Every structure is written in structure tokens, then in C-alpha cells.
Amino acid sequence: MTMKILFLTPQLPYPPHQGTAIRNYNLIAHLSSNYEVHLLSFVHSRDELERATPLRRRCRGIETALAPRRSFFRRLLSLFLSPLPDMALRLPSAEFRAKLRALLERERFDVVQVEGIEMGPYLEQVVGSGPLVVFDDHNAEYVLQKRAFETDIRDVRRWVGAFYSLIQWRKLSRYEAALCRLADRVVAVSEADAEALRALVPGLRVDIVPNGVDTEFYNVQIPMTKSQLAIGLWSLVFTGKMDFRPNVDAVIWFCEEVLPLVRREVPGVRFYIVGRSPHRRVLRLARDPAVTVTGYVDDVRPYIAAASVYVVPLRVGGGTRLKVLEALACGKAIVSTSLGCEGLGLTPGRELVVADTPQEFARQVVELLRNPERREELGQAARRFAEERYDWRLIVPKLERVYG
């Protein structure tokens, strides 16, 4: 008999345009070749599923529930009054609980896979119901908040954010540990994240199922529009969801601390910030004529392909970055912080260049802008690395072994 798997996701994994959706869609798409996959997901509108034809083709059954909304006032109250972290309070839904209960009564699933810490309340609901319960912890979330606190506390302008992160770090440490103890199997995206979870729960078994990339989709033979072709020779590109706190911090740090140093040496350089929902602090960066904030684009590939250098100036965060895998697959020369490329097994100087201070980051960018042969060498090594290590066709069998 074919194994039946139920995925529980915090958002509909289509279109696969950002981290969680990219991971969930590709896991489902590849598993559906050998297993009967069902999906119960939150949506933000009832018509979302109608536009997700490729996802519907992959799943035997899909059910959805409307994502709840929390006011700022309720979030503020819970910050002080609830022992639970903010992420555990984002998606409480009687509708989702009822649909999950009905699914478990109607179908005999072999595996229920819970995607992300936001779905923690439903992990608690499925434990003990019969199926193998797999908790896919996309990031060691407590580490992300710990790092955010350590970064923000250095700047008096960010002390409110630091205070928030300190509280969330403490709450997440307890909650994430509790979820790991409940699940039958815990999955992390990197060995660094696995070690962070074992620090919470000594002796915890953690299986590594990395993020991946569709290496055929992300290739350099990409048609470009006139506006994308107009990206100049001295172009730097960063991509990501631009209201996500680590991404906001990254581009602000780069524009304030690194870009001025690059412009001294290469006056014609331009920096492109590509991604949906730019925060107001990101939008303000576009006052500089050397900075372009695109907002949402249908396809990030032409921007990555047109870049002279792809930059990853991340100082906050956890997990592994799909944006780095996409740039690798596009065969781009990359300059990243140590944290930006953490957990991927890359060798600095071979597949990318690593720099952590503004001065060193700027120096490495300038050297690559002036050296097309070195950019080509790094790009070719990057592409090979993505093909050999991170194609989804290589990643999904690791998850199959978790099912055992």
C-alpha cells in the first residue's frame, strides 16, 4: 500500500516565492511521485487555492482554513501576559482544529508532517493519534531571536527591538524544546540548527533535511526585460522578503556601512534590493540614487542573473538561506557574511567570498567588480556545488529516510 502523508502548513505552499513556501512546495512535489500526499493549510483568502493548479495536481486532497488576524494590541498584551512566544500565538483557529480532527478520523495517515513552529498547537493535537509525527523546524527559532537581541542591544535606536527579542528568546527556548520532545521525529535544515536544538534537549535525535534549489529553474539562460537589462555593469543585488527583520537589518547595514566604502572605489556602483513588502526603513534607502528598491517582482531570476556580484550582508538569523542557494544555482559570484552562508558547507574562497566587517566586505566586493575572471571562476564553482549538493532531487530522499 502507498504511504499516506498529511502536511500541515502555515501558508499555502504556492506560489513558491519565499522560504517556507519554497521548501514546502518542493518537498510535496517530489514526494508526490511515490506517496499519497494530503495538505491542510492556512490561506489568506478563499480563492488562493484556485490559483494553485500545480499544487492541486501534486496532492490527493487539499483543505484550507482562513488564517486568523491578531491586532497589535493583542500582540502587546501577550508579550507580557502569555508564557507562550509570539510565534505560537499567530495561528490559533477553531476551523483548522476541526478540519484536522475530521481528517484524522476520516483518513488513516502514516505520517503527519508539521511545518514550522507556528504550527506547534496542531502538533500537540496530532501527537498520540496514530501516525508518525514529524516536526520540520525550519529554523532554530530561539537562536534567531537571541542573535537579534545581541545585534540590536548595541544600538540605542534598536533597544525596543532588543527588549522584544530578549523576551521572545526566553519564551521560544522553552516552547521549541517542548515541541521537540513531543514529536516522534525532528527535522532541521542544517547541522548548526540541529546542534542548537540538542542544546535545548540533550540527547535529542535530529535528522538533517537541508533546504534545496531547483537547479534547472535557476540557471543563467534567463530572458530579461529592458529594465532588467538596464542593470549596469557595476551592479550588486540582494533578494528576499523585505519586511523580514534579518533582511531589513542586512540591507540597512550594507547601505550605511559598506556601500559608501564601495562607492569610493567604484563610483558607478548600484545596489538593487529585490523582494516583496519592503519595510518603510527599506523604502527610505531608495532616497540614495545608487539604491533601487524594486518591491515585489514576478521572477527574481533575471535580477540575480544580471548582478555583477550577489551580496548576503546578513547579521541576524538562523537556518540556511534559500537566497544563497538560488544565487549559487545561477552561477553568481557571492560575497556573504559568515552567518549569511552558515550551515551550507561552502568553502570560502572556492564557491564564494566571506567577509564580516564593513571594510573587508567592501574590499571583497570592489575586487570582484574589477575582476571578471574571478567572478566567472567563483560562479562556475558555485553552480557545480548547487548541482552536486542541493538539488531537490538529492534532498527529498533524506526526508524519505526519516519516515523509515
Side-chain angles (χ1 to χ4, degrees), residues 201-218:
V201 185
L204 179 70
R205 169 183 170 176
V206 185
D207 292 287
I208 311 299
V209 180
N211 284 320
V213 65
D214 185 335
T215 58
E216 292 304 310
F217 184 72
Y218 286 93

Side-chain angles (χ1 to χ4, degrees), residues 365-384:
V365 168
V366 169
E367 287 188 3
L368 286 175
L369 288 174
R370 290 174 172 169
N371 190 338
E373 291 81 11
R374 177 61 172 151
R375 295 203 303 269
E376 180 69 16
E377 179 186 11
L378 285 170
Q380 290 179 359
R383 173 72 187 178
R384 285 195 301 272

Side-chain angles (χ1 to χ4, degrees), residues 336-352:
S336 174
T337 59
S338 300
L339 190 144
C341 59
E342 179 184 53
L344 292 171
L346 293 155
T347 302
R350 187 168 66 193
E351 294 96 18
L352 84 170

Side-chain angles (χ1 to χ4, degrees), residues 39-93:
L39 172 66
L40 175 57
S41 178
F42 281 105
V43 293
H44 295 284
S45 64
R46 294 295 186 187
D47 62 348
E48 262 186 69
L49 188 56
E50 297 174 12
R51 301 190 295 270
T53 302
L55 181 66
R56 296 204 309 270
R57 289 176 181 155
R58 301 291 190 177
C59 296
R60 177 66 61 87
I62 301 178
E63 295 198 31
T64 62
L66 275 177
R69 296 184 178 183
R70 294 171 65 212
S71 67
F72 175 77
F73 179 70
R74 289 185 64 187
R75 288 188 66 186
L76 188 62
L77 280 179
S78 66
L79 180 67
F80 296 102
L81 300 180
S82 174
L84 296 175
D86 183 69
M87 295 187 79
L89 300 170
R90 289 180 183 176
L91 296 173
S93 168

Side-chain angles (χ1 to χ4, degrees), residues 131-384:
L132 181 79
V133 178
V134 177
F135 174 40
D136 187 3
D137 197 5
H138 293 197
N139 299 298
E141 296 290 349
Y142 83 96
V143 173
L144 190 153
Q145 293 296 341
K146 178 177 182 287
R147 288 173 172 171
F149 166 74
E150 291 169 346
T151 299
D152 287 347
I153 198 65
R154 302 172 194 156
D155 185 345
V156 68
R157 297 171 298 175
R158 300 296 303 152
W159 278 5
V160 172
F163 176 68
Y164 170 84
S165 291
L166 177 62
I167 293 175
Q168 295 304 319
W169 164 22
R170 300 302 190 191
K171 290 182 177 182
L172 277 164
S173 296
R174 294 189 295 270
Y175 186 68
E176 203 159 5
L179 294 182
C180 288
R181 291 189 183 99
L182 275 175
D184 297 313
R185 298 284 187 275
V186 175
V187 167
V189 299
S190 71
E191 183 55 40
D193 274 33
E195 284 298 322
L197 295 178
R198 293 185 195 110
L200 290 180
V201 185
L204 179 70
R205 169 183 170 176
V206 185
D207 292 287
I208 311 299
V209 180
N211 284 320
V213 65
D214 185 335
T215 58
E216 292 304 310
F217 184 72
Y218 286 93
N219 63 66
V220 293
Q221 303 303 320
I222 301 164
M224 290 187 251
T225 66
K226 288 183 179 179
S227 62
Q228 291 154 353
L229 285 169
I231 295 176
L233 176 62
W234 313 120
S235 55
L236 312 175
V237 171
F238 176 89
T239 58
K241 189 169 182 289
M242 291 316 306
D243 61 351
F244 183 47
R245 190 173 171 192
N247 291 342
V248 173
D249 175 83
V251 296
I252 291 174
W253 179 75
F254 185 81
C255 287
E256 291 181 351
E257 304 292 336
V258 180
L259 189 59
L261 302 178
V262 177
R263 290 168 75 178
R264 287 182 197 171
E265 303 294 326
V266 186
V269 72
R270 291 192 61 86
F271 180 39
Y272 292 83
I273 302 169
V274 182
R276 62 185 291 189
S277 308
H279 190 277
R280 63 182 180 275
R281 297 173 68 207
V282 175
L283 291 171
R284 284 199 291 266
L285 298 174
R287 295 172 184 170
D288 183 337
V291 177
T292 298
V293 179
T294 68
Y296 173 81
V297 297
D298 289 329
D299 192 347
V300 299
R301 293 175 300 165
Y303 291 91
I304 301 174
S308 300
V309 178
Y310 187 88
V311 295
V312 191
L314 286 164
R315 304 187 303 160
V316 177
T320 56
R321 283 78 186 175
L322 285 152
K323 60 171 64 67
V324 177
L325 295 176
E326 291 165 359
L328 291 169
C330 283
K332 301 312 296 183
I334 302 168
V335 179
S336 174
T337 59
S338 300
L339 190 144
C341 59
E342 179 184 53
L344 292 171
L346 293 155
T347 302
R350 187 168 66 193
E351 294 96 18
L352 84 170
V353 178
V354 175
D356 289 310
T357 67
Q359 294 77 15
E360 182 63 12
F361 206 112
R363 186 181 72 80
Q364 296 290 357
V365 168
V366 169
E367 287 188 3
L368 286 175
L369 288 174
R370 290 174 172 169
N371 190 338
E373 291 81 11
R374 177 61 172 151
R375 295 203 303 269
E376 180 69 16
E377 179 186 11
L378 285 170
Q380 290 179 359
R383 173 72 187 178
R384 285 195 301 272

